[in-house]
Amino acid sequence: MLNVNDWRAAARRTLPRFVYEYVDGAAEDERCLARNRSALDAVSLTPRVLRDTRRIDPKVSLFGQTWAQPFAIAPTGLNGLIRPGGDLMGAAAAQTMGVPFVLSTASNERLEAVREAAPQAQLWLQLYVMEDRSVAEQLLRRAKAAKFSALVLTVDVPVSGLREKDLRNGFKVPFKPSLPMAIDLMRHPAWSLRQAMGGGPKFVNLVEDTKARMSAQAQAALLARAMDRGLDWYSLSWLRRHWAGPLLVKGVLHPNDARRAQREGVDALIVSNHGARQLDVAPTSIDQLPRVVEAVRGGIPVLMDSGIRRGSDVARALALGAHAVLIGRPVLYGLAVQGQSGIERVLTTLASELERTMILLGETDVGALRVSRSPADPYKARNAMPSRSTGSTSPR
């Protein structure tokens, strides 16, 4: 398997249809998903030649910690459905690769167990705020005790996006197989056996006490992303009372929101359309990235996710001002096929592609790539620079 698309095809063969489509699908007609790919394809970078590129430095630093690569593993829920122990494997792979791992609120392993599986990893916690805010408060207490170093507040899910594939597949927790699903499970015996032995995924971080009974309603609400729709900018003061460490806000697309977040003392932003899983008419992250970078004017770091499939995509995001990127679906493809080693192989492929891209661009470190190719008005340059691809815009 030479690239992420190869891993994607292998994951499709490995997983039952309802699981694969949960991982790979997006909102409504999936047009935002297609735009994520076509917008990245539209960004061209002009190489410089006759430069000494014998030593390439892909490292970045953030919040006093160094990353071996300018990417982190994005928060993804229900990793245990893809492979039991998926959160543990993701954290261990991140530790091996020297990059952060962001644990989702919708994780299937206790955050203390994740820390135990990766004692030296840079672990961050992604937070969904449900109507019962005591759930968030106990998560923050435990994350602090387990030495999670940063908090990622996801703000683009006041309600779940309309993911029609999941609805058609009867995707819900607890799972109740239909006849078509049962037939599909028989066609994927390895996955079915692993799930049977693992006992099926549960949202185990909803309660602080391991002996406490998890509410079926709370688990259903988390799967449906039934969040606190009263969460607003003023809620950040509540959050700060419970978390003193670095705070990133994920899901920002509008420059005005970026400026407001900066005024409210947020430590970094993640430009994201949630991998096109929320709002099908949303703009792409790569299109909005330069506008957000310009809005904060270097005051806080800006990261990006949604649509990254190649090391050259990482270079594109860095060139348009991103400090680093987050990788979501590609990690899950690797997890589905080969577990921890699959994740490591996917990330190693992306790192290798990025290094080759940097050499061909004539750049030796990612900081220079970002500075030398991020002009004073990056939004205008972004729209003047690319040439539109004439190929297919489908992520498939």
Side-chain angles (χ1 to χ4, degrees):
M1 288 180 280
L2 301 180
N3 55 49
V4 166
N5 280 334
D6 289 344
W7 285 94
R8 180 174 180 263
R12 188 169 194 167
R13 295 189 298 269
T14 301
L15 298 172
R17 176 177 173 175
F18 79 100
V19 180
Y20 175 78
E21 292 192 343
Y22 166 74
V23 171
D24 202 63
E28 296 182 1
D29 297 312
E30 301 191 345
R31 289 177 179 154
C32 184
L33 183 65
R35 289 198 304 277
N36 277 347
R37 183 64 258 159
S38 60
L40 278 160
D41 286 341
V43 179
S44 60
L45 302 177
T46 304
R48 301 293 303 277
V49 297
L50 292 177
R51 293 189 172 197
D52 186 348
T53 56
R54 287 174 292 181
R55 296 179 181 175
I56 300 298
D57 184 6
K59 294 190 296 292
V60 296
S61 296
L62 189 63
F63 308 137
Q65 294 183 315
T66 299
W67 308 10
Q69 298 290 334
F71 51 71
I73 295 181
T76 52
L78 272 178
N79 289 348
L81 181 66
I82 301 165
R83 185 177 287 260
D87 296 307
L88 307 179
M89 296 173 189
Q95 178 175 274
T96 299
M97 295 296 299
V99 300
F101 174 80
V102 190
L103 182 70
S104 171
T105 294
S107 55
N108 303 129
E109 298 289 341
R110 301 279 293 179
L111 61 84
E112 294 85 358
V114 174
R115 168 52 76 195
E116 186 176 347
Q120 303 303 318
Q122 298 180 45
L123 299 183
W124 296 3
L125 175 67
Q126 176 272 337
L127 184 66
Y128 285 127
V129 179
M130 305 172 71
E131 289 188 3
D132 180 0
R133 292 194 180 182
S134 67
V135 174
E137 291 171 3
Q138 62 89 10
L139 274 168
L140 297 177
R141 283 195 301 271
R142 293 165 54 209
K144 180 179 179 181
K147 294 183 169 51
F148 280 59
S149 58
L151 179 67
V152 177
L153 176 66
T154 298
V155 295
D156 58 358
V157 189
V159 66
S160 180
L162 181 58
R163 302 173 195 168
E164 294 179 357
K165 285 180 177 177
D166 291 348
L167 295 174
R168 294 185 195 282
N169 288 329
F171 186 90
K172 57 185 176 182
V173 173
F175 299 109
K176 296 180 180 179
S178 62
L179 179 59
M181 186 183 294
I183 294 172
D184 196 16
L185 295 181
M186 288 189 289
R187 291 173 176 167
H188 296 86
W191 180 91
S192 299
L193 180 60
R194 283 194 295 267
Q195 289 297 319
M197 295 178 64
K202 297 180 178 64
F203 297 130
V204 295
N205 282 306
L206 292 181
V207 292
E208 187 167 9
D209 185 351
T210 56
K211 298 179 181 179
R213 183 176 181 272
M214 286 179 288
S215 163
Q217 290 82 3
Q219 294 203 63
L222 184 54
L223 180 65
R225 304 298 189 267
M227 300 301 138
D228 183 355
R229 289 165 62 184
L231 193 74
D232 58 15
W233 291 110
Y234 301 104
S235 302
L236 292 181
S237 60
W238 158 78
L239 192 58
R240 282 298 196 185
R241 289 198 300 271
H242 298 278
W243 182 264
L247 171 62
L248 301 89
V249 170
K250 180 177 182 290
V252 173
L253 291 169
H254 199 293
N256 289 348
D257 287 338
R259 283 186 280 266
R260 177 65 184 269
Q262 187 176 24
R263 290 198 303 271
E264 295 291 340
V266 168
D267 297 297
L269 298 175
I270 303 175
V271 177
S272 170
N273 61 26
H274 213 102
R277 294 167 71 82
Q278 282 299 105
L279 182 65
D280 202 22
V281 298
T284 69
S285 297
I286 197 68
D287 280 329
Q288 295 305 105
L289 171 63
R291 301 184 66 189
V292 171
V293 169
E294 175 65 15
V296 301
R297 297 185 178 275
I300 54 176
V302 177
L303 293 76
M304 190 208 95
D305 75 15
S306 304
I308 302 294
R309 298 293 183 272
R310 288 273 190 182
S312 55
D313 293 338
V314 179
R316 286 162 161 153
L318 297 174
L320 291 177
H323 191 84
V325 303
L326 276 66
I327 310 294
R329 287 184 181 94
V331 167
L332 300 184
Y333 301 147
L335 174 64
V337 179
Q338 288 185 358
Q340 179 181 335
S341 64
I343 297 173
E344 292 172 7
R345 288 182 62 188
V346 167
L347 295 181
T348 298
T349 295
L350 292 172
S352 177
E353 291 175 349
L354 173 61
E355 179 177 335
R356 186 181 299 271
T357 299
M358 290 177 63
I359 293 170
L360 292 172
L361 286 172
E363 298 291 359
T364 57
D365 69 82
V366 293
L369 176 67
R370 182 168 63 246
V371 172
S372 68
R373 296 173 190 277
S374 186
D377 190 346
Y379 180 61
K380 290 181 181 179
R382 159 70 180 86
N383 286 277
M385 180 172 58
S387 58
R388 288 286 169 183
S389 169
T390 57
S392 169
T393 61
S394 170
R396 295 177 174 81

